[in-house]
Amino acid sequence: MELIGGIEKRDIRIVDYDPAWPQRFAEERARIARALGTTARRIDHIGSTSVPGLAAKPIVDIDVSVPDVEDETAYLPPLLAAGYRLRVREPAHRMVRTVQRDVHVHIVTVGSDWERRQLLFRDWLRHSVDDRAAYEKLKRQLAQQNWPDMNAYADAKGPLIAEIIQRAEAWAASIAWTPR
């Protein structure tokens, strides 16, 4: 993974759910749609701010699905022109963010595993009170520690996320879930 600008030390702050987060997503969705037009095949609110009632870092995560994430010329210049800044470049995933760092836009290939996993995780947390509570508890505990960067914090959530994804996959199979 290439971190544009290198490792950044940031405080991890978890706040109670803010009912303004969906509106913030809607504003950014419109900005992305204007910039990308039909290149954006999907624009979805993902991450903890997309789950009503779930405490989160006050950063709105958005998934933008494009025909081919490796073809940066199709989407990166318009996003940069719209005011986003490139932060992450890795195989099958790019991430741009606002200058204020309060919105992270994840660009992936439409129909990819990355897209499916993020949408399934979101939908499962919207459905499962128990996993939502367990995830929030872990995030609040981890936020009390001193992390070198947000990636280390995210990695520490990995084991619980893997457990939750297993339950989410079983649920998805039982109801024939597909990304909407």
Side-chain angles (χ1 to χ4, degrees):
M1 173 172 57
E2 178 186 1
L3 289 175
I4 312 306
I7 292 174
E8 297 174 339
K9 174 75 171 137
R10 291 183 68 187
D11 291 331
I12 305 297
R13 185 172 59 96
I14 303 297
V15 300
D16 290 338
Y17 179 79
D18 185 338
W21 287 335
Q23 179 57 39
R24 179 70 170 133
F25 161 72
E27 293 164 3
E28 292 300 319
R29 184 187 193 291
R31 178 177 171 187
I32 293 163
R34 280 192 306 274
L36 295 182
T38 60
T39 301
R41 301 297 167 87
R42 295 183 64 106
I43 305 173
D44 294 288
H45 192 182
I46 61 169
S48 294
T49 62
S50 71
V51 180
L54 181 59
K57 294 184 309 297
I59 298 170
V60 172
D61 283 292
I62 300 172
D63 175 86
V64 176
S65 300
V66 298
D68 180 6
V69 72
E70 302 305 329
D71 181 12
E72 289 185 359
T73 60
Y75 62 84
L76 193 54
L79 288 173
L80 297 178
Y84 296 101
R85 300 292 174 255
L86 181 62
R87 175 63 179 148
V88 174
R89 180 182 281 127
E90 62 183 331
H93 173 248
R94 306 294 186 273
M95 192 267 279
V96 297
R97 64 185 179 186
T98 56
V99 173
Q100 301 83 2
R101 301 179 185 176
D102 63 342
V103 176
H104 290 177
V105 180
H106 303 270
I107 304 105
V108 300
T109 299
V110 68
S112 67
D113 288 342
W114 204 99
E115 175 194 72
R116 182 185 183 283
R117 189 173 49 253
Q118 295 300 316
L119 296 173
L120 175 59
F121 190 70
R122 175 201 66 194
D123 288 357
W124 174 248
L125 288 182
R126 287 176 175 174
H127 174 78
S128 172
V129 173
D130 292 341
D131 276 338
R132 187 168 55 245
Y135 189 51
E136 179 174 322
K137 180 179 177 183
L138 177 65
K139 291 190 313 172
R140 288 187 184 276
Q141 289 170 345
L142 292 175
Q144 301 304 311
Q145 299 178 33
N146 186 20
W147 298 99
D149 71 347
M150 272 212 272
N151 293 312
Y153 162 81
D155 290 346
K157 296 185 300 182
L160 179 60
I161 290 172
E163 289 177 27
I164 291 172
I165 287 288
Q166 284 184 336
R167 288 186 286 278
E169 288 290 0
W171 171 73
S174 75
I175 65 163
W177 176 91
T178 58
R180 293 184 250 190

